[in-house]
Amino acid sequence: MGGTNVWDAEWEVNEEQARTLIGRQFPQLSSKQVKRLGWGWDNTVFLIGDEYVFRFPRRTIAVGSIRMEGKLLPKLEAYMTIPYPKPLFYGEASDEYPAPFLGYAYVQGDFPIGLTEERRALSAETLAKFLRRLHEFPVQAALKCGVQQDHRSLTDIASRKVKLEGFLSKVVEHLSPEESGVIEAYISRLQKDRVEAVSALLHGDLHFKNMLVNENGIVSGIIDWGDLSVGHPACDLSVAYSFLPPYARGVFFETYGGADEETKLLARLIAVYIPILILMQAVDDGNETIAAEAKSNIMRALSD
């Protein structure tokens, strides 16, 4: 069973098991090579040949997300302005593996790690157009597909601030005195307790591990839709702070269609909050590359 961290797995799937499970339910794929691409908190991901990706839940909590993705992701196609993984293969739970799993079209690209600020700025309009369209998707249609509504209490700044202080204490030894000083000063300036609720369909987990870029560093794919939910658009708009340099944010918000000060305040908070969680997991995994990228995302989010 799972360990002490929230991201510890209840079920681990290795390449051999993935090959067996996929081959049994989708014999047409049985001759293809299976390669583990990586894993997040909720799913282990495999590349099948060079055209499909399969995601297997690692935890009970991820099963509902996989089911909901299978229903909702195909309906998003008319709204998508950036490639995304569309479900094509619906795997069923079995005696060998207790959860459903999904196979998608593989989306090409590299993770945006170590990009220059100039390269990042090139994606300002691309990201804004993508989010404008996604946030226009009818909320009622999303709820009918089983999407959860604000299950993470996004607008509750006070409790998120307390959690952030706790996370910071866990990673402070992995930050420079300057970095931890900047984050502490930011947290102490956060005086608002909550913002007004707004409802939009959200990707829900938009950060560098769920984005792909092409050879020019421009965003070319958005992956891992397991946190699809209805809630405050600031959750997704956080990418303007964590991913884009300060000078590109004006173009981003103009293209998106504007955002009020409360939205921007919450977006910046989430742009610090998510990378601190990524940093905690990277430290636990001993992954220095991801840890360094998470730190640079936090520092960028806190730059004006």
Side-chain angles (χ1 to χ4, degrees):
M1 285 303 287
T4 53
N5 294 312
V6 286
W7 52 78
D8 288 334
E10 291 169 42
W11 322 296
E12 289 287 10
V13 179
N14 61 30
E15 287 178 357
E16 197 49 53
Q17 288 167 304
R19 184 180 291 110
T20 303
L21 290 165
I22 292 166
R24 209 157 271 173
Q25 296 197 35
F26 308 105
Q28 68 271 39
L29 304 180
S30 58
S31 63
K32 294 189 182 295
Q33 194 178 356
V34 174
K35 179 182 157 201
R36 189 171 78 160
L37 281 182
W39 63 96
W41 288 26
D42 293 338
N43 300 283
T44 306
V45 185
F46 297 89
L47 181 62
I48 314 304
D50 53 10
E51 64 243 271
Y52 306 115
V53 166
F54 272 73
R55 286 165 77 223
F56 288 83
R58 303 172 78 225
R59 313 190 292 153
T60 308
I61 200 167
V63 171
S65 294
I66 282 279
R67 288 207 175 99
M68 175 271 299
E69 276 187 63
K71 283 186 199 158
L72 183 55
L73 283 178
K75 296 182 194 297
L76 294 184
E77 191 166 21
Y79 289 78
M80 287 292 114
T81 59
I82 296 178
Y84 77 111
K86 239 180 92 180
L88 301 169
F89 301 99
Y90 291 74
E92 303 285 341
S94 62
D95 291 343
E96 294 110 288
Y97 178 71
F101 54 95
L102 272 183
Y104 313 74
Y106 177 57
V107 180
Q108 297 284 346
D110 297 305
F111 292 115
I113 290 173
L115 290 183
T116 63
E117 299 301 285
E118 290 75 21
R119 287 261 165 127
R120 291 168 177 280
L122 297 174
S123 290
E125 289 186 46
T126 304
L127 281 168
K129 284 176 184 161
F130 160 72
L131 289 175
R132 187 176 72 207
R133 286 295 285 142
L134 174 64
H135 293 169
E136 285 169 357
F137 187 85
V139 164
Q140 287 309 317
L143 294 172
K144 276 187 189 148
C145 291
V147 171
Q148 289 186 283
Q149 187 148 18
D150 198 29
H151 60 296
R152 289 171 293 175
S153 306
L154 290 172
T155 54
D156 185 349
I157 291 177
S159 70
R160 199 166 287 268
K161 181 177 168 179
V162 171
K163 285 183 188 161
L164 198 53
E165 287 167 333
F167 299 155
L168 183 57
S169 68
K170 288 185 177 147
V171 294
V172 71
E173 67 201 74
H174 301 279
L175 297 166
S176 70
E178 185 199 0
E179 287 167 338
S180 57
V182 167
I183 300 166
E184 279 164 17
Y186 165 69
I187 293 172
S188 69
R189 287 197 310 273
L190 268 177
Q191 296 307 322
K192 208 169 183 71
D193 284 344
R194 62 167 50 247
V195 299
E196 282 295 311
V198 184
S199 288
L201 178 64
L202 309 174
H203 175 277
D205 198 23
L206 202 53
H207 55 72
F208 68 90
K209 289 177 78 180
N210 291 337
M211 298 161 71
L212 300 172
V213 293
N214 63 20
E215 62 282 1
N216 299 315
I218 296 171
V219 174
S220 60
I222 303 290
I223 60 171
D224 195 347
W225 291 74
D227 280 305
L228 268 167
S229 53
V230 167
H232 201 296
C235 180
D236 288 349
L237 297 174
S238 62
V239 77
Y241 294 92
S242 59
F243 185 81
L244 295 176
Y247 65 84
R249 290 171 193 156
V251 168
F252 173 90
F253 283 114
E254 201 178 309
T255 308
Y256 176 75
D260 61 24
E261 288 313 305
E262 276 199 346
T263 298
K264 289 179 177 177
L265 176 106
L266 183 55
R268 194 190 294 263
L269 171 56
I270 293 169
V272 175
Y273 190 91
I274 293 177
I276 279 207
L277 281 171
I278 294 171
L279 175 58
M280 281 166 62
Q281 187 179 11
V283 165
D284 189 54
D285 290 344
N287 190 326
E288 287 173 25
T289 308
I290 297 291
E293 184 65 28
K295 282 191 264 190
S296 79
N297 274 239
I298 296 163
M299 291 299 108
R300 186 178 300 107
L302 294 179
S303 308
D304 279 318

